Amino acid sequence: MATRTDAPTRREQILKEAARLFAERGFHGVGVDEIGAAVGISGPGLYRHFAGKDAMLAELLVGISGSLLTGAKRRLAEAGGTTAPEAVLDSLIEGHIDFALDDRPLITLHDRELDRLRDADRKLVRQLQRQYVELWVGVVREVYPELAEPAARSAVHSVFGLLNSTPHLTRPGSLPGRAGTAELLHRMARGAFAAAGAR
């Protein structure tokens, strides 16, 4: 999502606007006509791309969970077992910060609307998220080998909470620009892990 450089497809445009509108007004506060208008097509025209709002919500939430996991696996593969664990952890943090800064509506959407998904889709989201967490736990324990697995897992969840706080920082002037915010979040994430790993 955030890393694409080519022009978005119509389907991606619809998903982006649906995420924005759902995050702003809630899933039930937005109609298909409004989503269609946001991308320049009629509401009924959306049904050429999606079965309905439920399908959009599922694709958004399953999609971002899968994208985060895929990105993290790619970063580990690029490290190739030769990169220092600290650098791998830095890379994971950078990837999650990109998501937290560039896809803020999806964080809000996940927090508010996950329970609206069908059971199968919600289970898939949770499964992808567990895999993502466990990947991080392995790297964190390489950096801090004395950190027990349960504590490492708690630290990872806590850092995700810190990084995923970005939707709450929307007041004008509350963020020091993207680069400054990314650097601040990165420093705070590493500080949190260091505190967890301290004796």
Side-chain angles (χ1 to χ4, degrees), residues 133-134 137 147-161 193 196:
V133 168
E134 293 310 308
V137 168
L147 191 60
E149 187 173 312
R153 190 171 293 109
S154 293
V156 168
H157 281 291
S158 296
V159 167
F160 287 171
F193 283 130

Side-chain angles (χ1 to χ4, degrees), residues 108-184:
T108 301
L109 203 57
H110 178 277
D111 290 345
R112 289 184 190 164
E113 312 290 358
L114 181 64
D115 288 344
R116 297 192 190 283
L117 292 183
R118 294 178 311 157
D119 285 347
D121 290 326
R122 189 168 56 252
K123 286 177 182 175
L124 179 55
V125 168
R126 293 299 192 198
Q127 178 186 12
L128 293 167
Q129 290 174 340
R130 280 193 298 272
Q131 292 177 47
Y132 184 59
V133 168
E134 293 310 308
L135 188 151
W136 276 68
V137 168
V139 174
V140 168
R141 294 193 72 209
E142 285 189 61
V143 178
Y144 304 102
E146 295 183 4
L147 191 60
E149 187 173 312
R153 190 171 293 109
S154 293
V156 168
H157 281 291
S158 296
V159 167
F160 287 171
L162 184 157
L163 299 179
N164 290 348
S165 67
T166 54
H168 305 292
L169 307 174
T170 55
R171 187 171 51 83
S174 63
L175 296 176
R178 192 192 189 286
T181 302
E183 192 275 333
L184 174 63

Side-chain angles (χ1 to χ4, degrees), residues 62-73:
V62 172
I64 193 56
S65 297
S67 178
L68 284 169
L69 177 60
T70 299
K73 286 180 175 178

Side-chain angles (χ1 to χ4, degrees), residues 95-116:
H96 199 97
I97 287 172
D98 284 343
F99 157 67
L101 292 178
D102 298 337
D103 292 311
R104 283 184 275 176
L106 291 177
I107 297 173
T108 301
L109 203 57
H110 178 277
D111 290 345
R112 289 184 190 164
E113 312 290 358
L114 181 64
D115 288 344
R116 297 192 190 283

